[in-house]
Coordinates of all heavy atoms in Angstrom, one line a residue:
M1 N 88.1 50.3 107.6 CA 88.1 51.2 108.7 C 88.4 52.6 108.2 O 87.8 53.6 108.6 CB 89.1 50.8 109.7 CG 89.0 51.5 111.0 SD 87.5 51.2 111.8 CE 88.0 51.2 113.5
L2 N 89.4 52.7 107.3 CA 89.7 54.0 106.7 C 88.6 54.6 105.9 O 88.4 55.9 105.9 CB 91.0 53.9 105.9 CG 92.3 53.6 106.6 CD1 93.4 53.4 105.6 CD2 92.6 54.7 107.6
V3 N 87.8 53.8 105.3 CA 86.7 54.3 104.5 C 85.7 54.9 105.4 O 85.1 55.9 105.1 CB 86.1 53.2 103.6 CG1 84.8 53.6 103.0 CG2 87.1 52.6 102.7
L4 N 85.5 54.3 106.6 CA 84.5 54.8 107.5 C 84.9 56.3 108.0 O 84.1 57.2 108.0 CB 84.4 53.9 108.7 CG 83.5 54.3 109.9 CD1 82.0 54.4 109.3 CD2 83.6 53.4 111.0
F5 N 86.2 56.5 108.3 CA 86.6 57.8 108.8 C 86.5 58.8 107.6 O 86.2 60.0 107.9 CB 88.0 57.8 109.3 CG 88.1 57.0 110.6 CD1 88.9 55.9 110.8 CD2 87.4 57.5 111.7 CE1 89.0 55.3 112.0 CE2 87.5 56.9 112.9 CZ 88.3 55.7 113.1
G6 N 86.8 58.4 106.4 CA 86.7 59.3 105.3 C 85.3 59.7 105.1 O 85.0 60.9 104.7
G7 N 84.3 58.8 105.3 CA 82.9 59.1 105.1 C 82.4 60.1 106.2 O 81.6 61.0 106.0
L8 N 82.9 59.9 107.4 CA 82.5 60.8 108.5 C 83.1 62.2 108.3 O 82.4 63.2 108.7 CB 83.0 60.2 109.8 CG 82.3 59.0 110.3 CD1 82.9 58.5 111.6 CD2 80.8 59.2 110.5
A9 N 84.2 62.3 107.7 CA 84.8 63.7 107.5 C 83.9 64.5 106.6 O 83.9 65.7 106.7 CB 86.2 63.5 107.0
A10 N 83.2 63.9 105.7 CA 82.3 64.6 104.8 C 81.1 65.2 105.5 O 80.5 66.1 105.0 CB 81.9 63.7 103.7
C11 N 80.8 64.7 106.7 CA 79.6 65.1 107.4 C 79.9 66.3 108.4 O 79.0 66.9 109.0 CB 79.0 64.0 108.2 SG 78.4 62.6 107.2
V12 N 81.2 66.6 108.6 CA 81.5 67.7 109.5 C 81.2 69.0 108.9 O 81.6 69.3 107.7 CB 83.1 67.6 109.8 CG1 83.5 68.8 110.7 CG2 83.4 66.3 110.5
P13 N 80.4 69.8 109.6 CA 80.1 71.1 109.0 C 81.3 72.0 108.8 O 82.2 72.0 109.7 CB 79.1 71.7 110.0 CG 79.3 71.0 111.3 CD 79.9 69.7 110.9
T14 N 81.4 72.7 107.8 CA 82.5 73.7 107.5 C 82.0 75.1 107.7 O 80.8 75.4 107.5 CB 83.0 73.5 106.1 OG1 82.0 73.8 105.2 CG2 83.6 72.1 105.9
T15 N 82.9 75.9 108.2 CA 82.5 77.3 108.4 C 82.8 78.0 107.1 O 83.8 77.8 106.4 CB 83.4 78.0 109.5 OG1 84.7 77.8 109.2 CG2 83.1 77.3 110.8
P16 N 81.9 78.9 106.7 CA 82.1 79.6 105.4 C 83.2 80.6 105.5 O 83.5 81.1 106.6 CB 80.8 80.4 105.2 CG 80.1 80.5 106.6 CD 80.6 79.3 107.3
E17 N 83.9 80.7 104.4 CA 85.1 81.7 104.4 C 84.5 83.1 104.5 O 83.5 83.4 103.9 CB 85.8 81.5 103.1 CG 86.5 80.2 103.0 CD 87.6 80.2 102.0 OE1 88.1 81.2 101.6 OE2 88.0 79.1 101.5
P18 N 85.2 83.9 105.3 CA 84.8 85.3 105.4 C 84.9 86.1 104.1 O 85.8 85.9 103.3 CB 85.7 85.9 106.5 CG 86.9 85.0 106.5 CD 86.4 83.7 106.0
K19 N 83.9 86.9 103.9 CA 83.9 87.8 102.7 C 84.9 88.9 102.9 O 85.1 89.4 104.0 CB 82.5 88.3 102.4 CG 81.5 87.3 102.1 CD 80.2 87.9 101.8 CE 79.2 86.9 101.5 NZ 77.8 87.4 101.2
P20 N 85.6 89.3 101.9 CA 86.6 90.4 102.0 C 85.8 91.7 102.4 O 84.7 91.9 101.9 CB 87.2 90.6 100.7 CG 86.4 89.7 99.7 CD 85.6 88.8 100.5
A21 N 86.4 92.5 103.3 CA 85.7 93.7 103.7 C 85.6 94.7 102.6 O 86.5 94.8 101.8 CB 86.5 94.3 104.9
R22 N 84.5 95.3 102.5 CA 84.3 96.4 101.5 C 85.0 97.6 102.0 O 84.9 98.0 103.1 CB 82.8 96.7 101.3 CG 82.0 95.4 100.9 CD 80.6 95.8 100.5 NE 80.7 96.1 99.1 CZ 79.7 96.8 98.5 NH1 78.6 97.1 99.2 NH2 79.8 97.1 97.3
P23 N 85.7 98.3 101.1 CA 86.4 99.5 101.5 C 85.4 100.6 101.9 O 84.4 100.7 101.3 CB 87.2 99.9 100.2 CG 86.5 99.2 99.1 CD 85.9 98.0 99.7
D24 N 85.9 101.4 102.8 CA 85.1 102.6 103.2 C 85.3 103.7 102.2 O 86.4 104.3 102.2 CB 85.5 103.0 104.6 CG 84.7 104.2 105.1 OD1 83.7 104.6 104.4 OD2 85.1 104.8 106.1
L25 N 84.3 104.0 101.4 CA 84.5 104.9 100.3 C 84.1 106.3 100.7 O 84.2 107.3 100.0 CB 83.7 104.5 99.1 CG 84.1 103.2 98.4 CD1 83.2 102.9 97.2 CD2 85.5 103.1 98.1
S26 N 83.7 106.5 102.0 CA 83.3 107.8 102.5 C 84.5 108.7 102.8 O 84.3 109.9 103.1 CB 82.4 107.7 103.7 OG 83.1 107.1 104.8
T27 N 85.7 108.1 102.9 CA 86.8 108.9 103.2 C 87.9 108.7 102.2 O 87.9 107.6 101.6 CB 87.4 108.6 104.6 OG1 87.7 107.2 104.7 CG2 86.4 108.9 105.7
C28 N 88.8 109.6 102.1 CA 89.9 109.4 101.1 C 90.9 108.5 101.7 O 91.2 108.5 102.9 CB 90.5 110.8 100.8 SG 91.9 110.7 99.7
T29 N 91.5 107.7 100.8 CA 92.5 106.7 101.3 C 93.8 106.8 100.6 O 94.4 105.9 100.1 CB 91.9 105.3 101.1 OG1 91.6 105.1 99.7 CG2 90.7 105.0 101.9
S30 N 94.3 108.1 100.5 CA 95.5 108.3 99.7 C 96.7 107.5 100.3 O 97.6 107.1 99.6 CB 95.9 109.8 99.6 OG 96.2 110.3 100.8
N31 N 96.8 107.3 101.6 CA 97.9 106.6 102.2 C 97.8 105.2 101.8 O 98.9 104.6 101.5 CB 97.8 106.7 103.8 CG 98.1 108.0 104.3 OD1 98.7 108.8 103.6 ND2 97.6 108.3 105.5
A32 N 96.7 104.6 101.7 CA 96.5 103.2 101.2 C 96.8 103.0 99.8 O 97.1 101.9 99.3 CB 95.1 102.7 101.6
T33 N 96.7 104.1 99.0 CA 96.8 104.0 97.6 C 98.2 104.6 97.1 O 98.4 104.7 95.9 CB 95.7 104.7 96.8 OG1 95.6 106.1 97.3 CG2 94.4 104.1 97.1
H34 N 99.0 104.9 98.0 CA 100.3 105.5 97.7 C 101.1 104.5 96.8 O 101.9 105.0 96.0 CB 101.1 105.9 98.9 CG 102.4 106.5 98.6 ND1 102.5 107.8 98.1 CD2 103.7 106.0 98.7 CE1 103.8 108.1 97.9 NE2 104.5 107.0 98.3
D35 N 100.9 103.2 96.9 CA 101.6 102.3 96.2 C 101.2 102.3 94.7 O 101.8 101.6 93.9 CB 101.5 100.9 96.8 CG 100.1 100.4 96.9 OD1 99.2 101.3 96.9 OD2 99.9 99.2 96.9
L36 N 100.2 103.1 94.3 CA 99.8 103.1 92.9 C 100.8 104.0 92.1 O 100.7 103.9 90.8 CB 98.4 103.7 92.8 CG 97.3 102.9 93.4 CD1 96.0 103.6 93.3 CD2 97.2 101.6 92.6
V37 N 101.6 104.8 92.7 CA 102.6 105.6 92.0 C 103.4 104.7 91.1 O 104.0 103.8 91.6 CB 103.4 106.5 93.0 CG1 104.5 107.2 92.2 CG2 102.5 107.5 93.7
G38 N 103.5 105.1 89.9 CA 104.3 104.3 88.9 C 103.5 103.4 88.1 O 103.9 102.8 87.1
T39 N 102.2 103.2 88.4 CA 101.3 102.3 87.7 C 100.5 103.1 86.6 O 100.1 104.2 86.9 CB 100.2 101.8 88.7 OG1 100.9 101.1 89.8 CG2 99.3 100.8 88.1
P40 N 100.3 102.5 85.5 CA 99.5 103.2 84.5 C 98.1 103.3 85.0 O 97.5 102.4 85.5 CB 99.5 102.2 83.3 CG 100.7 101.4 83.5 CD 100.9 101.3 85.0
V41 N 97.5 104.5 84.9 CA 96.2 104.8 85.4 C 95.1 103.9 84.7 O 94.1 103.6 85.3 CB 95.8 106.3 85.3 CG1 95.6 106.7 83.9 CG2 94.7 106.6 86.3
S42 N 95.4 103.5 83.5 CA 94.4 102.6 82.8 C 94.2 101.3 83.4 O 93.3 100.6 83.2 CB 94.9 102.5 81.3 OG 96.1 101.9 81.3
L43 N 95.2 100.9 84.3 CA 95.1 99.5 84.9 C 94.4 99.6 86.3 O 94.3 98.6 87.0 CB 96.5 99.0 85.1 CG 97.3 98.7 83.8 CD1 98.6 98.1 84.1 CD2 96.5 97.8 82.9
V44 N 94.0 100.8 86.8 CA 93.5 101.0 88.1 C 92.0 101.0 88.1 O 91.4 101.8 87.3 CB 94.1 102.3 88.7 CG1 93.5 102.5 90.1 CG2 95.6 102.2 88.8
N45 N 91.3 100.2 88.9 CA 89.9 100.3 89.1 C 89.6 101.4 90.1 O 89.6 101.1 91.3 CB 89.4 98.9 89.5 CG 87.9 98.9 89.7 OD1 87.2 99.9 89.5 ND2 87.3 97.8 90.0
T46 N 89.3 102.6 89.7 CA 89.1 103.7 90.6 C 87.8 103.6 91.4 O 87.7 104.3 92.4 CB 89.2 105.0 89.8 OG1 88.1 105.0 88.8 CG2 90.5 105.2 89.1
S47 N 86.9 102.8 90.9 CA 85.6 102.8 91.6 C 85.7 102.2 93.0 O 84.8 102.3 93.8 CB 84.6 102.0 90.8 OG 85.0 100.6 90.7
Q48 N 86.8 101.5 93.3 CA 87.0 100.9 94.6 C 88.0 101.7 95.5 O 88.3 101.2 96.6 CB 87.4 99.4 94.5 CG 86.4 98.6 93.9 CD 86.7 97.1 93.9 OE1 87.8 96.7 94.5 NE2 85.9 96.3 93.4
L49 N 88.4 102.8 95.1 CA 89.4 103.6 95.8 C 88.7 104.7 96.7 O 89.1 104.9 97.8 CB 90.3 104.3 94.9 CG 91.2 103.4 94.0 CD1 92.1 104.2 93.1 CD2 92.0 102.4 94.9
A50 N 87.7 105.4 96.2 CA 87.1 106.4 97.0 C 85.7 106.7 96.3 O 85.5 106.3 95.2 CB 87.9 107.7 97.0
A51 N 84.9 107.5 97.0 CA 83.6 107.8 96.5 C 83.7 108.7 95.3 O 83.0 108.6 94.3 CB 82.7 108.5 97.5
T52 N 84.7 109.6 95.3 CA 85.0 110.5 94.2 C 86.4 110.4 93.9 O 87.3 110.6 94.7 CB 84.6 112.0 94.6 OG1 83.2 112.0 95.0 CG2 84.8 112.9 93.4
V53 N 86.7 110.2 92.6 CA 88.1 110.1 92.2 C 88.3 111.1 91.0 O 87.5 111.1 90.1 CB 88.5 108.7 91.7 CG1 89.9 108.6 91.1 CG2 88.3 107.7 92.8
R54 N 89.3 111.9 91.1 CA 89.6 112.9 90.1 C 91.0 112.5 89.5 O 92.0 112.5 90.2 CB 89.6 114.3 90.7 CG 89.9 115.4 89.7 CD 89.6 116.7 90.2 NE 90.3 117.1 91.4 CZ 90.2 118.3 92.0 NH1 89.4 119.2 91.5 NH2 90.8 118.5 93.1
I55 N 91.0 112.3 88.2 CA 92.3 112.0 87.5 C 92.8 113.3 86.8 O 92.0 113.9 86.0 CB 92.1 110.8 86.5 CG1 91.7 109.6 87.2 CG2 93.4 110.6 85.7 CD1 91.4 108.4 86.3
L56 N 94.0 113.7 87.2 CA 94.5 115.0 86.7 C 95.7 114.8 85.8 O 96.8 114.4 86.3 CB 94.9 115.8 87.9 CG 93.7 116.1 88.9 CD1 94.3 116.7 90.2 CD2 92.8 117.1 88.3
P57 N 95.6 115.0 84.5 CA 96.7 114.9 83.6 C 97.6 116.1 83.8 O 97.2 117.1 84.4 CB 96.1 114.9 82.2 CG 94.8 115.6 82.4 CD 94.3 115.3 83.8
P58 N 98.8 116.1 83.3 CA 99.7 117.2 83.4 C 99.1 118.5 82.7 O 98.4 118.4 81.7 CB 101.0 116.8 82.7 CG 100.7 115.6 82.0 CD 99.4 115.0 82.5
N59 N 99.2 119.6 83.4 CA 98.6 120.9 82.9 C 97.1 120.8 82.8 O 96.5 121.6 82.1 CB 99.2 121.3 81.6 CG 100.7 121.5 81.7 OD1 101.2 122.0 82.7 ND2 101.4 121.0 80.7
G60 N 96.4 119.8 83.5 CA 95.0 119.7 83.5 C 94.4 120.8 84.4 O 95.0 121.4 85.3
V61 N 93.1 121.1 84.1 CA 92.4 122.1 84.9 C 91.6 121.4 86.0 O 90.9 120.4 85.7 CB 91.5 122.9 84.0 CG1 90.7 123.9 84.8 CG2 92.3 123.6 82.9
A62 N 91.6 121.9 87.2 CA 90.9 121.3 88.3 C 90.3 122.5 89.2 O 90.9 123.5 89.3 CB 91.8 120.4 89.1
T63 N 89.1 122.2 89.8 CA 88.5 123.1 90.7 C 89.4 123.2 91.9 O 90.1 122.3 92.3 CB 87.1 122.7 91.0 OG1 87.1 121.5 91.7 CG2 86.2 122.7 89.8
M64 N 89.3 124.3 92.7 CA 90.0 124.5 93.9 C 89.3 124.2 95.2 O 89.8 124.4 96.2 CB 90.5 125.9 94.0 CG 91.5 126.3 92.8 SD 93.0 125.3 92.8 CE 93.8 125.7 94.3
D65 N 88.0 123.6 95.0 CA 87.3 123.3 96.2 C 87.9 122.1 96.9 O 88.5 121.2 96.2 CB 85.8 123.0 95.8 CG 85.7 121.8 94.9 OD1 86.5 121.7 93.9 OD2 84.8 121.0 95.1
Y66 N 87.7 122.0 98.2 CA 88.3 120.9 99.0 C 87.2 119.9 99.3 O 86.2 120.3 99.8 CB 89.0 121.4 100.2 CG 89.5 120.3 101.1 CD1 90.8 119.8 100.7 CD2 88.9 119.9 102.2 CE1 91.3 118.7 101.5 CE2 89.5 118.8 103.0 CZ 90.7 118.3 102.6 OH 91.2 117.3 103.3
N67 N 87.5 118.7 99.0 CA 86.5 117.6 99.3 C 87.3 116.5 100.0 O 88.1 115.8 99.3 CB 85.9 117.1 98.0 CG 84.9 115.9 98.2 OD1 84.9 115.4 99.3 ND2 84.2 115.6 97.2
P68 N 87.2 116.3 101.3 CA 88.0 115.4 102.0 C 87.8 113.9 101.6 O 88.6 113.1 101.8 CB 87.6 115.6 103.5 CG 86.2 116.2 103.4 CD 86.2 117.0 102.1
A69 N 86.7 113.7 100.9 CA 86.4 112.3 100.4 C 86.9 112.0 99.0 O 86.9 110.9 98.5 CB 84.9 112.0 100.5
R70 N 87.4 113.1 98.4 CA 87.9 112.9 97.0 C 89.3 112.5 96.9 O 90.2 113.0 97.6 CB 87.7 114.2 96.2 CG 88.2 114.1 94.8 CD 87.8 115.4 94.0 NE 88.3 116.6 94.6 CZ 87.6 117.7 94.5 NH1 86.5 117.9 93.8 NH2 88.1 118.8 95.2
L71 N 89.6 111.6 96.0 CA 91.0 111.1 95.8 C 91.4 111.7 94.5 O 90.8 111.6 93.4 CB 91.0 109.6 95.7 CG 92.4 108.9 95.5 CD1 93.2 109.1 96.8 CD2 92.2 107.5 95.2
N72 N 92.6 112.4 94.5 CA 93.2 113.0 93.3 C 94.3 112.1 92.8 O 95.2 111.8 93.6 CB 93.7 114.4 93.6 CG 92.6 115.3 94.0 OD1 91.6 115.5 93.4 ND2 92.8 115.9 95.2
I73 N 94.3 111.7 91.6 CA 95.3 110.9 91.0 C 96.0 111.8 89.9 O 95.3 112.1 88.9 CB 94.8 109.6 90.4 CG1 94.1 108.8 91.5 CG2 95.9 108.8 89.7 CD1 93.5 107.5 91.1
E74 N 97.2 112.2 90.1 CA 97.9 112.9 89.1 C 98.7 112.0 88.2 O 99.3 111.0 88.7 CB 98.8 114.0 89.8 CG 98.1 115.0 90.6 CD 99.0 116.0 91.3 OE1 100.1 116.3 90.8 OE2 98.6 116.4 92.4
T75 N 98.7 112.3 86.9 CA 99.5 111.4 86.0 C 100.5 112.2 85.1 O 100.3 113.5 85.1 CB 98.5 110.7 85.0 OG1 97.9 111.7 84.2 CG2 97.4 109.9 85.7
D76 N 101.4 111.5 84.5 CA 102.3 112.2 83.6 C 101.7 112.1 82.2 O 100.6 111.6 82.0 CB 103.7 111.6 83.7 CG 103.8 110.1 83.3 OD1 102.8 109.6 82.7 OD2 104.8 109.5 83.5
A77 N 102.4 112.6 81.2 CA 101.9 112.6 79.8 C 101.7 111.2 79.3 O 100.9 111.0 78.3 CB 102.9 113.3 78.9
N78 N 102.3 110.2 79.9 CA 102.1 108.8 79.4 C 101.0 108.1 80.1 O 100.7 106.9 79.9 CB 103.4 108.0 79.6 CG 104.5 108.5 78.8 OD1 104.3 108.9 77.6 ND2 105.7 108.5 79.3
G79 N 100.3 108.8 81.1 CA 99.2 108.1 81.8 C 99.7 107.4 83.0 O 98.9 106.6 83.6
T80 N 100.9 107.5 83.4 CA 101.5 106.9 84.6 C 101.2 107.7 85.8 O 101.4 108.9 85.8 CB 103.0 106.6 84.5 OG1 103.2 105.8 83.3 CG2 103.5 105.9 85.7
I81 N 100.7 107.1 86.9 CA 100.4 107.8 88.1 C 101.7 108.4 88.8 O 102.6 107.6 89.0 CB 99.7 106.9 89.1 CG1 98.3 106.5 88.5 CG2 99.4 107.6 90.5 CD1 97.6 105.5 89.3
T82 N 101.7 109.7 89.1 CA 102.9 110.3 89.7 C 102.6 110.7 91.1 O 103.6 110.9 91.9 CB 103.3 111.5 88.8 OG1 102.2 112.4 88.8 CG2 103.8 111.1 87.4
R83 N 101.4 110.9 91.5 CA 101.1 111.4 92.8 C 99.6 111.1 93.1 O 98.7 111.1 92.3 CB 101.3 112.9 92.9 CG 101.1 113.5 94.2 CD 101.5 115.0 94.2 NE 101.2 115.6 95.5 CZ 101.0 116.9 95.6 NH1 101.0 117.7 94.6 NH2 100.7 117.4 96.8
V84 N 99.3 110.8 94.4 CA 98.0 110.5 94.9 C 97.8 111.3 96.2 O 98.6 111.2 97.1 CB 97.8 109.0 95.2 CG1 96.4 108.7 95.7 CG2 98.1 108.1 94.0
T85 N 96.7 112.1 96.2 CA 96.4 113.0 97.3 C 94.9 113.0 97.6 O 94.1 112.6 96.7 CB 96.9 114.4 97.1 OG1 96.2 115.0 95.9 CG2 98.4 114.5 96.8
C86 N 94.6 113.6 98.7 CA 93.2 113.8 99.1 C 92.8 115.2 98.9 O 93.6 116.1 98.9 CB 92.9 113.4 100.5 SG 93.1 111.6 100.9
G87 N 91.5 115.5 98.6 CA 91.1 116.9 98.5 C 90.4 117.1 97.3 O 89.6 117.7 96.9

């Protein structure tokens, strides 16, 4: 009798697991990435953070144009993230 129930359980359709939502890269997500502060920038996959990511080392040169979709990641001399902002 137990074998019969075990066999029937295999016939029950299962629902597929939902796929993880793709991040919206059209807007900056500095609030969501604030927890990156203190992380080595080399360990961060920047392609999933924003459409445009700019990594700024100390004393680095950057343009002054404002891009609301751009994520700015500032690092210290060791490559550790010190600040994350939009623009």
Side-chain angles (χ1 to χ4, degrees):
M1 189 70 144
L2 291 176
V3 174
L4 179 64
F5 289 121
L8 290 176
C11 297
V12 175
T14 59
T15 57
E17 292 197 24
K19 295 180 181 178
R22 300 186 89 195
D24 180 13
L25 300 181
S26 63
T27 59
C28 179
T29 57
S30 69
N31 290 338
T33 57
H34 182 71
D35 59 336
L36 293 175
V37 173
T39 304
V41 73
S42 61
L43 299 179
V44 177
N45 181 358
T46 58
S47 67
Q48 295 190 1
L49 298 178
T52 306
V53 177
R54 178 166 61 176
I55 299 175
L56 302 166
N59 301 318
V61 178
T63 61
M64 296 302 292
D65 62 316
Y66 179 76
N67 179 349
R70 179 173 51 213
L71 184 68
N72 298 306
I73 299 176
E74 297 178 31
T75 66
D76 63 12
N78 297 321
T80 302
I81 297 172
T82 58
R83 185 174 175 205
V84 181
T85 60
C86 293

